[in-house]
Amino acid sequence: MNLDEVLPNQHYRMCHARIVGAPRTVVWDELHRVTMSALPLGRALEGLRLLPARLAGRKHPPLAGRTFLDVTPIPVLFSERPRVVISAGLSQAWRLLGGVTPPQLDAAALRAWSQPGWIKVGMEFRLESTPLGTLFRTETRVLATDPRARRAFAAYWLFIRAGSGAIRREVLRIVAHRAESALKPR
């Protein structure tokens, strides 16, 4: 499976990549191990995103010990070790308290979803072997289900895009550092 099968079109897209001097299996393991406590920027920005809900009395588990993939607000839809992990789902991210709890959908149901007032979000981490190690890529796509949701998300995207990209780059950097360090003799 790839992101084109989940979200073939998008209104918004962000891509980041880096070469990691380690085999795919090592990079894969580190991606699945990295916790929010290892991602200071990600933890701070995610904490800010959750702050309105916490102030409103909504309970959220602490971020620190949870993995990055567990904290993302969209569920893992597909995973094939050591090649690809895809998280995808519906969101109303622009709403201060996070909006209505969305149903969990498979890829076909997500593609078919057309109810107004939502965005479809897909995030992929893909690992490809290269002569230098592993090409470690991430792509995020967002597609609004109607013009009103697209306008609402556009304002939110303007505000969060830089931080979202910085988190993706932080994940790539930390995972790469850990994977390369795991190969060094001690």
Side-chain angles (χ1 to χ4, degrees):
M1 181 177 284
N2 63 49
L3 207 47
D4 287 332
E5 296 173 66
V6 178
L7 220 63
N9 302 305
Q10 71 274 333
H11 293 127
Y12 304 94
R13 180 175 181 234
M14 142 183 338
C15 301
H16 303 283
R18 74 179 295 145
I19 296 289
V20 182
R24 285 189 312 180
T25 54
V26 175
V27 177
W28 177 270
D29 290 345
E30 293 302 333
L31 172 62
H32 284 78
R33 262 188 221 125
V34 71
T35 61
M36 294 304 288
S37 59
L39 304 168
L41 178 65
R43 185 174 171 194
L45 292 176
E46 188 67 15
L48 277 174
R49 186 180 73 78
L50 294 173
L51 186 61
R54 285 191 170 139
L55 291 174
R58 294 193 182 169
K59 302 288 184 202
H60 290 279
L63 295 173
R66 298 172 63 204
T67 67
F68 171 77
L69 291 174
D70 287 338
V71 168
T72 61
I74 50 176
V76 172
L77 183 67
F78 178 80
S79 181
E80 182 184 324
R81 185 180 199 273
R83 292 183 357 138
V84 63
V85 60
I86 298 173
S87 298
L90 297 170
S91 177
Q92 295 177 329
W94 64 90
R95 295 185 185 259
L96 197 55
L97 299 179
V100 177
T101 300
Q104 288 201 7
L105 306 172
D106 64 16
L110 184 62
R111 277 191 314 274
W113 184 271
S114 61
Q115 183 178 331
W118 294 91
I119 55 169
K120 301 176 187 184
V121 182
M123 180 176 67
E124 175 182 86
F125 284 94
R126 185 164 293 276
L127 293 79
E128 298 173 20
S129 294
T130 73
L132 299 174
T134 300
L135 174 59
F136 183 29
R137 297 184 297 140
T138 182
E139 180 176 351
T140 302
R141 296 180 184 181
V142 177
L143 177 69
T145 58
D146 66 287
R148 187 174 181 189
R150 185 174 181 182
R151 284 189 303 275
F153 183 75
Y156 178 75
W157 185 247
L158 185 66
F159 181 69
I160 63 102
R161 183 170 194 247
S164 183
I167 292 169
R168 303 305 188 276
R169 288 187 301 276
E170 182 180 49
V171 169
L172 294 178
R173 187 180 82 258
I174 296 297
V175 168
H177 173 74
R178 288 176 169 206
E180 291 167 349
S181 294
L183 299 178
K184 292 180 182 173
R186 296 177 194 234

